[in-house]
C-alpha cells in the first residue's frame, strides 16, 4: 500500500479536500457536542518542531488526544536532530515507532527527504515554502462563513511567503483567484509556483489588489528563519498594512484572515484584525478540526 503524505497543498485532489472538509464539519460538530470520538485509539503522532509554535503544536496535540491517540513532541534542541543525525535516519527510526508524523522545519527539501524514508504518513506543519494545514483551515473557515470559495477572489497583501504559496496552490485546486501585492524585492519566486497556474494576478499597489476581493489576507512581514532581514523588511513593507482603507476597496461582505501570530500596526491595523470582518479566531480554532479530519483520512482512509 502506498503511503499518503500531506507535504504541500497540491498533494490532495479536489475530491480529497471535499471529503476532508466534510469530515472536518462532522468532527467539529462532535467536539462541540462533547461527543467522544476515538477512531485513532492507540495511534501515536510524533510532532517534530525545528521552529517555534503555539497553534500548530496545540491543535495537533489536542487533536490527537481527542481522537483517542497520543502525541509526542520533539524539538531540535533536545533530540538528536539538533546534533546532526541525518533526516533519512531519523525518518526510518521514528516511523517504526509511531503511526503518523508532523514536521515543522526550514527547507521543503528536508520534509521531502524525511517523507521519502518514512513508513508512515508525514504532514507539513510549516516549512519555509508551504503551510498547507493553515490554508486548509482558512478555506474551511471561508466556506463556513460564506459558502463555496470557487470563483471568489482572495487578496494577498504582503510577503511572498509559505502562506502565499499554499494559497496559490489552493486557488488551482478550488478554482478561485488570488490578487497578490508584494513590495518590490519581495515578489513571488516563479520557481515555487506551477507554470500552469493562471489563478493569480500581481498588483504593485496593495489597495488595487483589494478591489473586489471576497477575502483579504496577510501575514507577518518577517517569517521565522528570516529574522536577520527584519529591519530591511520593516522599511520595504511600509504601505502594505491591511487597514480600513484597504478593506473598503474589497467587497462589503469581505472577510479578513491572518494565520497568526499578528503584529498590529505592521501588516494589519488593530481596527481590522479586531473588527467585524475579521475571522481570525475561527481560523485558529479550525486548525484543530481540519487537522483531526486530515489525520483520520491519512490513517483510516475514507470512512464508508
Ligand atoms: N498559524 C500558525 O501556524 O501558528 P503557530 O506558529 O503558533 O503554530
Ligand atoms: N509566515 C509565517 C507563518 C507563521 C505561522 C512564518 O513562517 O513564520
Amino acid at each position: 500500500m502506498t503511503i499518503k503524505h500531506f507535504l504541500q497543498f497540491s498533494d490532495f485532489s479536489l475530491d480529497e479536500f471535499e471529503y476532508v472538509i466534510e469530515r472536518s464539519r462532522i468532527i467539529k460538530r462532535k467536539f462541540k457536542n462533547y461527543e467522544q470520538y476515538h477512531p485513532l485509539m492507540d495511534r501515536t503522532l510524533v510532532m517534530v518542531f525545528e521552529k517555534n509554535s503555539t497553534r500548530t503544536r496545540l491543535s495537533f496535540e489536542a487533536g490527537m488526544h481527542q481522537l483517542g491517540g497520543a502525541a509526542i513532541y520533539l524539538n531540535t534542541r533536545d533530540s538528536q536532530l539538533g546534533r546532526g543525525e541525518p533526516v533519512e535516519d531519523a525518518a526510518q527510526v521514528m516511523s517504526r515507532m509511531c503511526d503518523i508524523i508532523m514536521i515543522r522545519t526550514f527547507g521543503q527539501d528536508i520534509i521531502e527527504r524525511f517523507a521519502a524514508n518514512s513508513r508512515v504518513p508525514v504532514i507539513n506543519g510549516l516549512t519555509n515554502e508551504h503551510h498547507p494545514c493553515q490554508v486548509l483551515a482558512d478555506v474551511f473557515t471561508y466556506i463556513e462563513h460564506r459558502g463555496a470559495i470557487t470563483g471568489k477572489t482572495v487578496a494577498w497583501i504582503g510577503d511572498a511567503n509559505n502562506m502565499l504559496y499554499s494559497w496559490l496552490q489552493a486557488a488551482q485546486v478550488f478554482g478561485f483567484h488570488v490578487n497578490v501585492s508584494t513590495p518590490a524585492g519581495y515578489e513571488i519566486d516563479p520557481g515555487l509556483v506551477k507554470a500552469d497556474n493562471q489563478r493569480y494576478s500581481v498588483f504593485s499597489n496593495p489597495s488595487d489588489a483589494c478591489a473586489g476581493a471576497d477575502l483579504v489576507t496577510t501575514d507577518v512581514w518577517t517569517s521565522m528563519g528570516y529574522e536577520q532581514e527584519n529591519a530591511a523588511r520593516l522599511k520595504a513593507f511600509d504601505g502594505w498594512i491591511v487597514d480600513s482603507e484597504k478593506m473598503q476597496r474589497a467587497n462589503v461582505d469581505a472577510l479578513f484572515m491572518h494565520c497568526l501570530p499578528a503584529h498590529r500596526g505592521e501588516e494589519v491595523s488593530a481596527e481590522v484584525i479586531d473588527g467585524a470582518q475579521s475571522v481570525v479566531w475561527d481560523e485558529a480554532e479550525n486548525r484543530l478540526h481540519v487537522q483531526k479530519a486530515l489525520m483520520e483520512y491519512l490513517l483510516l482512509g475514507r470512512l464508508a
Side-chain angles (χ1 to χ4, degrees), residues 216-232:
V216 179
T217 185
T218 186
D219 187 13
V220 290
W221 290 342
T222 306
S223 285
M224 291 181 279
Y226 298 84
E227 290 80 2
Q228 73 289 352
E229 298 176 13
N230 195 40

Side-chain angles (χ1 to χ4, degrees), residues 153 210-216 247-255 277:
T153 300
C210 295
D214 301 291
L215 165 63
V216 179
M247 287 304 292
Q248 270 155 28
R249 297 284 307 273
N251 289 339
V252 278
D253 66 343
L255 299 175
Q277 288 168 282

